[in-house]
Amino acid sequence: MLSKAFPGVQALSDVSFDLQAGEVHALMGENGAGKSTLMKILAGVYAEDSGEILLNGERVTVSSPRAAQHLGIGIVHQELNLMNHLTAAQNLFIGREPRGRFGLLDENALNKQALALFARLNLRLDPQTPVGDLTVARQQMVEIAKALSFESRVLIMDEPTAALNDAEINELFRILQQLRAQGVGIIYISHKMDELKRIADRVTVMRDGRVIGTLPATETPIAQIISMMVGREVDDHTTANKATAANEVVLRVRGLCRDRAIQNVNFELRRGEILGFAGLMGAGRTEVARAVFGADPIDEGQIEVHGHNVEIKTPRDAVKLGIGYLSEDRKHFGLALGLDVETNIALSSLDRFINWMGLVNEKQTAKVSHDYVERLAIKTPTLSQLVGLLSGGNQQKIVIAKWLLRDCNILFFDEPTRGIDVGAKSEIYKLLESLAAEGRAVVVISSELPEILRLSHRVLVMCEGAITGELTAAEATQEKIMHFATLRETAVAT
């Protein structure tokens, strides 16, 4: 039985878990339940405080990730763990590259081995492409290929489908079925309930660092699993009778273009509205948000904020206009993981807390940070807790707090619940709805259609860089959204 504690947090308490050869064992629980901590112990990232690990009936010591790999334990982490400046092939075989004469790197052999792995995944990818140039979805597939390259007998997958579209998920599941047939034991961590019935043999539920129970996946109702996870009923149904947004247009975009990624995009955003952006991976939704926020340059187009033409060349320009952007990759673009909760919340608004001597008023930063921790129900032992030690859901709330403190009234949420459990997801939904009710204008970009349908007053659908459809909340269905997302039609102007 494994136990593990971090400063101020008991992450695991006497946890017992078993995995059989040739099974997919799902591990479920809210963020902070201890799932990732348990898996990182098995993968040699953390050392357990007490307990033992048995592999094929024999006690083993997993002292490091390399030791885990030698034992045949591979892991695909929830957060990408790649080197963006290296090629895909170099990332796959870092530290074990094929060598030729005189010990020199054999690039041809390296790329050939990478191509063989990609072929196994049915992934069309140039092994010489720098990882930093790949989409999040393709980076995720490189991570999976890297884990498979070790011929692991135990494969841990932490939210592997978070950044994948339906076609890529189907391909991943085909690979998992193949590995299962070869006797590989797979530990599968996911917050997507629909995946359990498709892929898992058994499911173990954790809560507050303890195992609540282990059940057969196909025979256990989803509602029972959710109840075990959160210990309460979760309101995750579509919001009825959404409050009508005001007619006041706070953001108007006209003729936005950038290479092939954004093609003549036009839309309006109203005060108090939640505007959903739907579409398949690579449709251009994130590119539009980044262009409006000034993170990427545009070739042409016009942006109006509160009826005035504006020029947004940098994120600083956007923030001054009251526009905030929560990236789909919060750990790289939204947080300083090595800093504490208080600093992360106050960081983008420090100018408000600097006194006449040029010093930060720490009493004020502590007070406002505490207020937002209370308001957003952020679970942290203290304001001095390092953000990197918090769960994904609480990290996302800290990013939201940062932008609310900055008093942004136009907010772009890119995949706001990616990697977040069902309980925290419900809290994020209610928070977004409350922001709209306060009169803020919200854009939600999401690959989860139920999420788009629940939250949105209107839905814009993108395909190949263009807006191909617009639906009101009353008109929108998953079928209609997918129709516009897969068939390129004339762009809709608002």
Side-chain angles (χ1 to χ4, degrees), residues 274-290:
I274 299 179
L275 178 63
F277 266 75
L280 301 178
M281 198 71 65
R285 301 163 301 165
T286 293
E287 287 78 1
V288 168
R290 287 177 58 85

Side-chain angles (χ1 to χ4, degrees), residues 49-82:
D49 295 336
S50 63
E52 61 181 10
I53 300 171
L54 303 177
L55 187 63
N56 295 323
E58 298 183 2
R59 183 170 182 173
V60 296
T61 300
V62 189
S63 56
S64 67
R66 185 173 293 275
Q69 291 165 359
H70 286 311
L71 289 167
I73 302 172
I75 184 169
V76 177
H77 292 280
Q78 176 181 351
E79 302 297 335
L80 303 179
N81 191 25
L82 300 169

Side-chain angles (χ1 to χ4, degrees), residues 116-151:
L117 273 173
F118 294 153
R120 185 176 176 185
L121 293 171
N122 283 343
L123 180 63
R124 295 183 180 180
L125 179 62
D126 183 351
Q128 300 181 70
T129 302
V131 161
D133 293 343
L134 300 176
T135 64
V136 173
R138 286 181 170 260
Q139 289 178 358
Q140 181 74 26
M141 297 303 280
V142 172
E143 281 274 34
I144 294 168
K146 183 177 179 179
L148 294 177
S149 71
F150 289 98
E151 299 297 332

Side-chain angles (χ1 to χ4, degrees), residues 377-407:
I378 298 171
K379 296 177 181 177
T380 177
T382 66
L383 292 177
S384 60
Q385 176 79 324
L386 295 181
V387 165
L389 297 179
L390 298 181
S391 67
N394 288 303
Q395 289 176 350
Q396 184 72 315
K397 289 180 182 180
I398 288 172
V399 180
I400 295 172
K402 177 180 71 174
W403 289 116
L404 294 183
L405 177 58
R406 193 71 204 185
D407 202 26

Side-chain angles (χ1 to χ4, degrees), residues 48 66 87 90 95 150 299 377 406 413 448 458:
E48 68 274 16
R66 185 173 293 275
T87 68
Q90 290 167 344
F150 289 98
D299 297 332
R406 193 71 204 185
F413 288 82
E448 297 188 27
R458 286 185 299 135

Side-chain angles (χ1 to χ4, degrees), residues 187-346:
I187 303 173
Y188 192 89
I189 302 174
S190 178
H191 293 125
K192 297 182 179 180
M193 294 294 169
D194 59 318
E195 294 180 357
L196 292 183
K197 303 295 183 182
R198 292 183 60 189
I199 196 65
D201 298 297
R202 290 189 294 161
V203 56
T204 289
V205 178
M206 293 185 66
R207 187 171 74 237
D208 298 329
R210 299 179 183 274
V211 169
I212 303 302
T214 299
L215 301 163
T218 57
E219 301 170 16
T220 305
I222 295 297
Q224 181 179 348
I225 294 173
I226 293 175
S227 177
M228 293 170 66
M229 286 172 57
V230 303
R232 64 187 188 277
E233 291 186 3
V234 175
D235 174 19
D236 196 30
H237 300 291
T238 300
T239 302
N241 302 318
K242 293 187 179 74
T244 304
N247 291 325
E248 177 189 348
V249 175
V250 297
L251 176 69
R252 180 178 284 113
V253 174
R254 292 280 184 246
L256 196 68
C257 297
R258 182 171 70 81
D259 297 328
R260 294 176 58 85
I262 307 173
Q263 301 183 38
N264 192 33
V265 165
N266 305 275
F267 69 91
E268 293 178 349
L269 176 65
R270 301 181 180 94
R271 181 170 60 85
E273 177 181 42
I274 299 179
L275 178 63
F277 266 75
L280 301 178
M281 198 71 65
R285 301 163 301 165
T286 293
E287 287 78 1
V288 168
R290 287 177 58 85
V292 173
F293 189 63
D296 293 329
I298 62 173
D299 297 332
E300 57 183 290
Q302 180 179 320
I303 300 174
E304 293 180 14
V305 177
H306 299 295
H308 301 287
N309 288 335
V310 298
E311 191 172 11
I312 302 176
K313 291 186 175 181
T314 67
R316 184 183 296 273
D317 296 335
V319 172
K320 288 180 179 179
L321 291 166
I323 302 173
Y325 173 57
L326 286 81
S327 168
E328 62 179 333
D329 191 350
R330 59 180 173 267
K331 290 200 173 184
H332 283 94
F333 301 114
L335 295 168
L337 297 178
L339 299 179
D340 59 37
V341 171
E342 179 182 336
T343 303
N344 270 272
I345 292 175

